Amino acid sequence: MKITTAITLSAATILSSHESTAFTAPRAHQLIAPSKGFSTLRSTLVDETDTINKQQLTEEQTQENYITETVANTQKSFQDDGFVFGLEGSGLERVKGRGANVVVEGDSLETTPQQVAMVSGTFAGQALIAANAIHELYTHTNGNAPVTALISLATIVSSWVAADLGSGILHWSVDNYGNGRTPVMGNIIAAFQGHHSAPWTITYRGFCNNVWKLCIPFGLPTVAAISFVAGPENPMVSLFFSFFCFSEIMSQELHKWSHMTKKETPAIVNTLQGLGITIGRVPHAQHHMAPYDGNYCIVSGFCNEALDNSGFFRWMEHRIYEINGVESNAMKLDPELRAKTLRGEYRLTQ
């Protein structure tokens, strides 16, 4: 009992010594005001949270900007160096079905009067030069018509074969090197490489719209210059190159026929293809298999087998790579082909 009384007196003394007001529990309807320290802590936490959110937003925005810039830099066009159709990020997708897709800036499927004028003028001029060459040849043979006809026919046939070879070399070069900014040949390069993204587009083009681009390198100025250098004493040279340049221009139309069905082409076209005089559908279809490394000739296709079996184009690509370090597009598309080419294994049948 004495112990209890002592404890009670000690507690009372402590409370009175601190001059404390008697503690009263807050009522249910009263609010406890936060202390100054709590308010400061809360303010600090809010500021830190805002800072973290802003940092996260900045990082997300930076990452988004980086992705946008990266995509923009990898979406290449024919105006960019290093463009290779078929590589990831090339910006071109192969069109499914028989759809048309014009990929060259400023190009159109519509035939214009300027195109008609260029093609008509080119063919008319080449025909005049060829006719004059035959006349000169007739004079040189002292008016012997059979001999003149035989020599002219032989010249035309040899020119046709040479044109097939030439079309293959041209096709190989523009498929594998250069871009839309390449001087003189830029539009042709863009058209040929873009052709792989939508092969059927060519079938929607009219004749002049399809061939006019080739009138630039193989047009009247080229034939006239060669004839002038050869002179009237060499009429066979003028005849040969007149027909050669005509055939190179026509190769694009022969190419178009190889993408059309038998029902879509005239009977004479089907006959010429069947005889092997012009490039057929099946031989050219073999070219449209990635990495587009063979069957480049598109006049008659006569030279394709010899060129591919000999490895001529792979040999050329190897020499070019040794000279300037530039890889062909076919090598870029197919690492195995690249390795074989650099090992000197050039034949496609190996």
Side-chain angles (χ1 to χ4, degrees), residues 43-103:
S43 177
T44 302
L45 290 174
V46 170
D47 291 342
E48 290 181 354
T49 301
D50 289 343
T51 301
I52 293 173
N53 289 337
K54 289 179 180 178
Q55 289 177 347
Q56 289 178 343
L57 180 61
T58 302
E59 292 176 358
E60 290 175 358
Q61 186 64 39
T62 301
Q63 185 177 12
E64 183 179 349
N65 291 340
Y66 173 77
I67 293 173
T68 301
E69 292 176 2
T70 302
V71 172
N73 291 334
T74 56
Q75 293 295 316
K76 297 180 178 180
S77 73
F78 291 109
Q79 298 299 320
D80 297 325
D81 293 328
F83 172 86
V84 184
F85 168 75
L87 288 185
E88 183 178 358
S90 67
L92 287 179
E93 298 288 341
R94 187 180 178 89
V95 176
K96 295 182 180 179
R98 298 193 59 175
N101 182 26
V102 178
V103 297

Side-chain angles (χ1 to χ4, degrees), residues 76-77 80-88 90 172-179 189 193 290-293 296 314 317-318 320-321 324-342:
K76 297 180 178 180
S77 73
D80 297 325
D81 293 328
F83 172 86
V84 184
F85 168 75
L87 288 185
E88 183 178 358
S90 67
W172 161 78
S173 65
V174 296
D175 262 12
N176 286 281
Y177 300 98
N179 56 51
I189 292 171
Q193 292 187 10
Y292 320 109
D293 55 354
Y296 288 111
R314 302 292 81 75
E317 290 169 6
H318 197 178
I320 292 172
Y321 179 77
N324 56 23
V326 176
E327 297 181 6
S328 69
N329 289 345
M331 289 170 63
K332 294 174 183 177
L333 286 170
D334 189 344
E336 183 179 352
L337 178 70
R338 179 184 185 277
K340 290 175 63 176
T341 299
L342 297 183

Side-chain angles (χ1 to χ4, degrees), residues 45 48 60 63 154 166 198-199 208 210 219 231 279 284 289 305 311:
L45 290 174
E48 290 181 354
E60 290 175 358
Q63 185 177 12
C208 293
N210 188 33
I279 184 67
H284 184 63
M289 298 173 63
E305 185 175 357

